[in-house]
Amino acid sequence: MPTIFSQIVDGEIPARTVYEDETTFAFLDANPLAPGHTLVIPKDEYERLNDVPDDVAADLYATIHDLVPAVEDAVDADGTTVAFNNGEAAGQEVPHVHCHIVPRFEGDGGGPIHAIAGETPDLADDELDDIAADIESIV
Ligand code: AMP
């Protein structure tokens, strides 16, 4: 069963499309957190960022890079929060990679990306060193 976003790409479900090229697609979020809230997706289905091939990741970032200033200009925003919910644990509901571009306005009452944290950990220096070394060895 194709994801709801694949059905949008295929024109089976209506959406307010703002951009399309060979590999990427962007449309307004149906439940906007702010005017101009836009979703940017790869046309092909990948559940998580981890699954996106390098060439598609480059295309996806290029589209995000072009759309951020366009969205800001269109709604006269003071900034944008640009984020992926990557995996169910992070709040991802649609299993098709999508980048949220959420326009932000001075005094809009929203928080920074740091507001996503629940209880923040108190990590010792050696634990931080170990984590950094593990990531460096895997990437
Ligand atoms: P996430 O929680 O990161 O998976 O976000 C999914 C987003 O998709 C939510 O912000 C929804 O409002 C949005 N959404 C779901 N269905 C549609 C649709 N048919 N058209 C546009 N946006 C949608």
Side-chain angles (χ1 to χ4, degrees), residues 68-92:
V68 164
V71 169
E72 289 184 0
D73 284 357
V75 298
D76 206 17
D78 300 309
T80 31
T81 295
V82 182
F84 294 82
N85 291 323
N86 194 38
E88 267 185 47
Q92 182 180 357

Side-chain angles (χ1 to χ4, degrees), residues 82-130:
V82 182
F84 294 82
N85 291 323
N86 194 38
E88 267 185 47
Q92 182 180 357
E93 289 180 354
V94 179
H96 184 146
V97 165
H98 50 283
C99 173
H100 292 263
I101 301 176
V102 183
R104 299 298 304 270
F105 302 88
E106 297 294 347
D108 64 12
I113 201 86
H114 295 76
I116 61 168
E119 218 170 287
T120 53
D122 187 14
L123 294 165
D125 281 349
D126 58 338
E127 290 174 290
L128 292 167
D129 291 343
D130 287 348

Side-chain angles (χ1 to χ4, degrees), residues 44-94:
D44 287 342
E45 282 182 20
Y46 304 101
E47 186 165 341
R48 293 176 56 158
L49 276 176
N50 321 34
D51 307 318
V52 178
D54 290 353
D55 56 337
V56 179
D59 292 348
L60 189 62
Y61 185 75
T63 298
I64 293 165
H65 185 77
D66 289 343
L67 274 171
V68 164
V71 169
E72 289 184 0
D73 284 357
V75 298
D76 206 17
D78 300 309
T80 31
T81 295
V82 182
F84 294 82
N85 291 323
N86 194 38
E88 267 185 47
Q92 182 180 357
E93 289 180 354
V94 179

Side-chain angles (χ1 to χ4, degrees), residues 19-26 40-43 56 59-60 63:
Y19 179 82
E20 178 174 10
D21 62 26
E22 211 173 301
T23 56
T24 69
F25 194 91
V40 188
I41 64 170
K43 282 184 169 174
V56 179
D59 292 348
L60 189 62
T63 298

Side-chain angles (χ1 to χ4, degrees), residues 4-5 8 13 27-31 37 39 85 91-94 98 100:
I4 191 162
F5 292 167
I8 287 174
I13 291 183
F27 52 99
L28 295 187
D29 194 294
N31 304 290
H37 182 172
L39 300 176
N85 291 323
Q92 182 180 357
E93 289 180 354
V94 179
H98 50 283
H100 292 263

